[in-house]
Amino acid sequence: MLFIEGMGSYLMARCFIRTPDDFRSMVMFVSKLLVCLLPFCLYEWLTGQKPLLTILGTIFPTVEITRMYPRMGLWRVQGPFSHSILYGVFCASLLALVCRASSFRYNGFTAVFFTSVVVGSAVLSMSSAPIAGLALQIALLTWDRLLRGFPGRWKLLWAVAILGIGAIEFGSNQTPAQFYVSHFTFEQQTGWYRMWIWEYGTASVERHPIFGIGLGDWMRPGWMVSDSIDNFWLILAMRHGIPGVTLMVLSWFGLWFAIARRKVLEPVVASYRTAYLICMASFVFVGATVHFWGATYAWFFFLGGAGAWILDSRGHENPSGRTVSDRAAGGAPMRVSRLAARR
């Protein structure tokens, strides 16, 4: 089932998103879905009631309704997802994509509106991981904007990140993971519980390094009642062993680095590539404290496949962003506009 959910979602995106137009249409369609969900989510945020799941539950089975304590007097929004943190991850993953896609299709006000809906919807989850994902994307978009004239800006960013991790590692009594947990979570007790998950989860990987434990339970102290593992990359290693998580990581990073190294792209395609890679970076970052399952697991694989068309991109685009030469999907020539023909 995991293979069907993951690979099926990836191949769906790979087959049907083949051009910049396809990519932009997908992003804007999902952002419009967020606008439709927003009234229900605002009501849930203020009252704690789940109108969306309650209404849908009268027609067919839905995910289980989760009840959690409010934070700062407001309720954590679950939306149509299995958990509020998954709703937040879904919304936050769209920030860079919507910011770039809407800027080529709509005027400034409309682009700001859709971007604000994405940010506001993610914040309604009241979860630190999605908000950290938002902050990461905003930081990377700002970095790209401020240094857009400097070709080596991303190499410089890697150097700054490595220096920052080294400074925490050698200049603090905390590890980088502990520093993140103690400074960037709403509730430190949940953050430290994640550290215990890491402690006993990695011990499980050491005991079962080749084949993992499958879908079985994992060894932990009796006071750790929940079997939840809030780390997507760790649970891959626990379930499928070191070879399994290694193949998964190499597959994703092989695709992403190939896209990052793609040369001679049109400005619109290059902008979409930056947004796509920032989105994927946020998934890697957030996945260290969140387990993706259900719809969010499928969404991660879908988005992963949604940017692979960049490797095949051969088309030239006019200023509006619409493809006017060969389609990347099959190389079949499209009808060239009169403007492009004159050029």
Side-chain angles (χ1 to χ4, degrees), residues 114-170:
F114 280 113
T115 304
S116 301
V117 169
V118 169
V119 174
S121 299
V123 171
L124 293 182
S125 68
M126 304 292 288
S127 298
S128 56
I131 294 176
L134 286 177
L136 175 66
Q137 293 181 74
I138 292 172
L140 293 177
L141 288 169
T142 303
W143 178 273
D144 182 57
R145 179 67 177 176
L146 294 177
L147 299 180
R148 60 186 180 275
F150 177 47
R153 59 189 179 277
W154 298 114
K155 294 179 181 178
L156 176 62
L157 182 62
W158 277 107
V160 171
I162 293 172
L163 288 175
I165 294 173
I168 296 173
E169 183 71 33
F170 299 106

Side-chain angles (χ1 to χ4, degrees), residues 238-310:
M238 292 173 64
R239 284 179 173 176
H240 312 295
I242 294 176
V245 69
T246 301
L247 289 173
M248 177 72 78
V249 170
L250 290 178
S251 298
W252 280 124
F253 278 85
L255 172 65
W256 298 335
F257 277 109
I259 292 174
R261 293 175 61 85
R262 184 75 165 82
K263 304 295 184 181
V264 194
L265 294 176
E266 292 295 322
V268 173
V269 179
S271 180
Y272 290 169
R273 175 180 63 179
T274 300
Y276 168 79
L277 292 175
I278 290 175
C279 172
M280 293 294 101
S282 72
F283 266 109
V284 173
F285 178 69
V286 172
T289 56
V290 176
H291 171 42
F292 307 140
W293 79 92
T296 306
Y297 178 83
W299 175 244
F300 170 52
F301 276 80
F302 180 85
L303 280 185
W309 61 271
I310 297 172

Side-chain angles (χ1 to χ4, degrees), residues 33 73 85 90 96 111 151 157 184 188 202 217 232 234 267:
L33 287 181
I85 199 168
F90 169 75
L157 182 62
F184 298 100
Q188 289 192 15
T202 52
D217 202 1
F232 177 69
L234 176 60

